[in-house]
């Protein structure tokens, strides 16, 4: 039997925290709850859980800041909860490195399905574990989880790395947003395809001219052909 995975639920609304915990426990997870962003960071440092469910609105540190600080030291999966159906919140959450988000009120079954999908991805087979892909000056090293452009290391969030890997690994082929969601995020149901767009935008911002990603209107994205070597 696989070891029990622990989920850390960071939520100050006790009713929601208990409700989420009950569903996760029923599904076989161990659950730890805290109402404090600061305590969450301490727990992540001392006894890292398998995944963090993080509410955006917390009394001490907000969820965005907690996520940003987790990302400084760790690739621990983070699922963000947001109270408002506000695109800006979602996008900001993904930009600080959350793996996924869910808007309240949510269906607890969907929450559990997303947690499973993220964990499957994180420990899963589809995540590249070894090998190197290059595109002009851009080098992706799966073993080291490292992205370089020339001599410069570019820090990518885990999903940004996986998305770029997936595109480069299928260079020249168009992948639809749904295909990318399924391969990179592990969704087997229709997720929010804007997640893909947000991550592509981040990659373009971080990589600048070295970004090999081409938008194929109405379909999805592809990695373009490698540039000719400069002479
Ligand atoms: Ca809250």
């Amino acid at each position: 039997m696989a070891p029990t995975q622990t989920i850390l639920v960071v939520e100050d609304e006790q009713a929601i925290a208990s409700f989420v915990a009950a569903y996760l426990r029923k599904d076989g997870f161990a659950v730890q709850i805290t109402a404090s962003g600061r305590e969450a960071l301490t727990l992540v440092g001392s006894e890292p859980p398998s995944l963090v469910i993080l509410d955006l609105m917390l009394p001490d540190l907000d969820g965005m800041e907690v996520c940003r600080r987790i990302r400084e030291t760790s690739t621990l999966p983070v699922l963000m909860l947001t109270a408002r159906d506000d695109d800006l919140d979602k996008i900001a959450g993904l930009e600080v490195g959350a793996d996924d988000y869910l808007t309240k009120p949510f269906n607890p079954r969907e929450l559990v399905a997303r947690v499973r999908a993220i964990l499957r991805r994180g420990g899963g087979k589809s995540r590249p574990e070894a090998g190197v892909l290059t595109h002009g000056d851009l080098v992706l090293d799966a073993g080291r989880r490292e992205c370089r452009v020339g001599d410069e290391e570019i820090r990518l969030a885990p999903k940004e790395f996986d998305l770029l890997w997936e595109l480069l690994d299928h260079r020249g082929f168009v992948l639809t947003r749904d295909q990318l969601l399924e391969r990179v995020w592990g969704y087997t149901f229709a997720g929010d395809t804007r997640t893909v767009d947000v991550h592509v935008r981040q990659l373009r911002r971080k990589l600048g001219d070295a970004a090999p990603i081409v938008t194929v209107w109405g379909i999805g994205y592809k990695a373009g052909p490698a540039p000719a070597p400069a002479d």
Side-chain angles (χ1 to χ4, degrees):
M1 221 178 101
T4 305
Q5 292 178 301
T6 302
I7 311 293
L8 175 62
V9 177
V10 191
E11 167 63 276
D12 59 311
E13 283 166 82
Q14 213 194 336
I16 296 179
S18 313
F19 174 66
V20 164
Y23 266 88
L24 289 167
R25 288 192 178 113
K26 207 166 73 182
D27 214 61
F29 293 103
V31 182
Q32 210 172 3
I33 299 177
T34 174
S36 147
R38 288 188 197 284
E39 196 189 27
L41 288 172
T42 307
L43 286 169
V44 163
S46 60
E47 38 188 317
S50 303
L51 180 144
V52 181
I53 295 177
L54 183 58
D55 186 38
L56 186 65
M57 305 291 279
L58 295 167
D60 50 355
L61 280 182
D62 72 58
M64 225 60 102
E65 185 56 29
V66 174
C67 187
R68 193 176 295 121
R69 293 199 196 173
I70 290 175
R71 277 291 162 271
E72 282 172 6
T73 57
S74 150
T75 57
L76 188 67
V78 175
L79 172 66
M80 201 92 109
L81 299 179
T82 141
R84 287 159 290 173
D85 190 11
D86 179 334
D87 283 343
L88 279 178
D89 281 349
K90 290 175 184 173
I91 290 167
L94 294 171
E95 285 180 354
V96 295
D99 293 85
D100 199 1
Y101 62 84
L102 210 53
T103 305
K104 294 177 186 174
F106 51 82
N107 179 333
R109 284 179 216 286
E110 184 176 0
L111 177 81
V112 174
R114 298 254 188 133
V115 165
R116 287 248 172 249
I118 295 169
L119 289 173
R120 204 165 52 232
R121 261 306 291 146
K125 304 167 195 77
S126 49
R127 178 174 222 156
E129 275 165 11
V132 173
L133 291 175
T134 63
H135 187 95
D137 286 342
L138 174 72
V139 178
L140 277 185
D141 183 329
R144 295 168 187 265
R145 305 280 299 168
E146 224 176 59
C147 173
R148 294 186 167 277
V149 174
D151 292 334
E152 191 191 354
E153 184 175 353
I154 312 285
R155 292 178 64 106
L156 299 183
K159 286 295 176 272
E160 291 165 5
F161 186 95
D162 293 346
L163 177 61
L164 188 54
W165 182 278
E166 196 63 32
L167 287 165
L168 277 184
D169 202 29
H170 296 86
R171 204 185 322 245
F173 291 91
V174 183
L175 295 171
T176 67
R177 290 175 177 79
D178 282 330
Q179 282 172 328
L180 289 167
L181 266 183
E182 190 184 327
R183 291 173 189 199
V184 176
W185 281 265
Y187 294 155
T188 48
F189 54 90
D192 186 340
T193 53
R194 279 173 302 179
T195 300
V196 177
D197 299 333
V198 171
H199 281 77
V200 165
R201 210 172 61 204
Q202 281 293 92
L203 283 169
R204 284 179 170 149
R205 190 179 62 76
K206 289 183 179 179
L207 297 171
D209 291 341
I213 306 166
V214 177
T215 304
V216 183
W217 293 107
I219 305 176
Y221 297 100
K222 70 173 182 180
D231 40 37

